[in-house]
């Protein structure tokens, strides 16, 4: 059996802050814009070996209007959601997000299909996300929860590739969404 690492660091604090400013020159009707984005992640050990809790706080303050430059979504999460999972990003003046995750291993199959793919671990994540959005016209609350099932593999013996299935429950509309995802250290889909 290959050495096994914890899904979440036993204790860590990570933070990121980015500030962007766009100025426009003549010949355009757009006005410049500014945006500040920040996130902080705290991790700790879970209840059993290789389990872990993760709490992520993030937010953005920006100037958004029809005649301003619009920034693309911030690259917040490795799985692609800026707001609560299940909700698409729409530029807004102000938002804050709280995300809680509990990650744990399920199985260690140690299964290889020749030199093509090696299945190392199958793990799960239970999560809850809450996002508060504020702009000129409205205040919106978005919340979702669900689970993720991840198959940790190595393709061609060296390329780490996680293949996952995510269930999302959007609490405001009681919608259930199921989606697949691929993640690697090189690129995310």
């Amino acid at each position: 059996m290959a050495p096994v690492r914890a899904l979440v660091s036993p204790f860590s604090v990570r933070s990121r802050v980015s500030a962007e400013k766009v100025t426009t020159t003549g010949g355009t009707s757009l006005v410049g814009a500014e945006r500040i984005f920040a996130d902080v992640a705290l991790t700790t050990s879970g209840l059993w070996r290789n389990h872990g809790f993760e709490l992520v706080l993030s937010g953005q303050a920006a100037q958004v209007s029809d005649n301003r430059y619009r920034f693309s979504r911030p690259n917040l999460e490795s799985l692609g959601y800026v707001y609560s999972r299940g909700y698409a990003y729409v530029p807004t003046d102000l938002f804050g997000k709280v995300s809680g995750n509990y990650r744990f291993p399920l199985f260690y199959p140690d299964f290889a299909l020749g030199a093509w793919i090696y299945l190392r671990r199958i793990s799960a994540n239970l999560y809850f996300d809450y996002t508060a959005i504020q702009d000129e016209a409205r205040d919106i609350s978005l919340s979702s929860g669900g689970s993720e099932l991840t198959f940790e593999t190595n393709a061609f013996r060296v390329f780490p590739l996680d293949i996952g299935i995510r269930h999302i429950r959007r609490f405001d509309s009681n919608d259930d969404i199921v989606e697949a995802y691929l993640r690697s250290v090189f690129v995310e889909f």
Side-chain angles (χ1 to χ4, degrees):
M1 181 180 210
V4 179
R5 63 175 167 71
L7 289 164
V8 174
S9 173
F11 178 76
S12 70
V13 177
R14 174 191 48 82
S15 65
R16 292 182 290 183
V17 176
S18 68
E20 299 172 282
K21 181 175 183 172
V22 173
T23 55
T24 56
T25 58
T28 180
S29 61
L30 289 177
V31 177
E34 297 176 356
R35 171 172 74 176
I36 243 180
F37 172 79
D39 78 334
V40 174
L42 309 166
T43 65
T44 187
S45 297
L47 301 174
W48 291 277
R49 184 173 175 229
N50 296 327
H51 289 217
F53 290 104
E54 180 183 41
L55 176 67
V56 181
L57 308 170
S58 58
Q60 169 184 295
Q63 300 165 324
V64 176
S65 64
D66 289 340
N67 66 337
R68 288 193 179 277
Y69 174 84
R70 290 201 178 213
F71 292 99
S72 61
R73 70 180 187 85
N75 188 8
L76 169 64
E77 183 183 292
S78 62
L79 297 176
Y81 283 104
V82 175
Y83 296 154
S84 298
R85 281 167 260 209
Y87 296 92
Y89 176 73
V90 176
T92 186
D93 293 335
L94 188 65
F95 83 83
K97 177 183 173 185
V98 176
S99 183
N101 297 279
Y102 185 75
R103 293 185 167 92
F104 55 96
L106 295 173
F107 306 105
Y108 296 92
D110 264 343
F111 174 76
L113 187 60
W116 297 100
I117 195 148
Y118 169 68
L119 179 58
R120 189 175 127 199
R121 174 167 48 195
I122 301 171
S123 62
N125 178 36
L126 302 176
Y127 68 86
F128 175 79
D129 296 334
Y130 175 79
T131 306
I133 300 171
Q134 187 177 40
D135 64 20
E136 297 170 352
R138 62 192 190 264
D139 293 342
I140 300 171
S141 296
L142 308 174
S143 60
S144 64
S147 58
E148 298 168 342
L149 183 66
T150 304
F151 299 85
E152 294 179 24
T153 68
N154 282 331
F156 308 110
R157 297 185 188 224
V158 293
F159 183 67
L161 180 66
D162 292 350
I163 302 164
I165 300 168
R166 177 183 301 125
H167 171 260
I168 301 167
R169 174 72 167 188
R170 292 177 16 170
F171 296 126
D172 61 339
S173 61
N174 290 328
D175 291 339
D176 285 307
I177 302 167
V178 176
E179 61 186 19
Y181 62 88
L182 295 174
R183 177 178 53 205
S184 79
V185 295
F186 303 113
V187 67
E188 298 164 8
F189 303 99

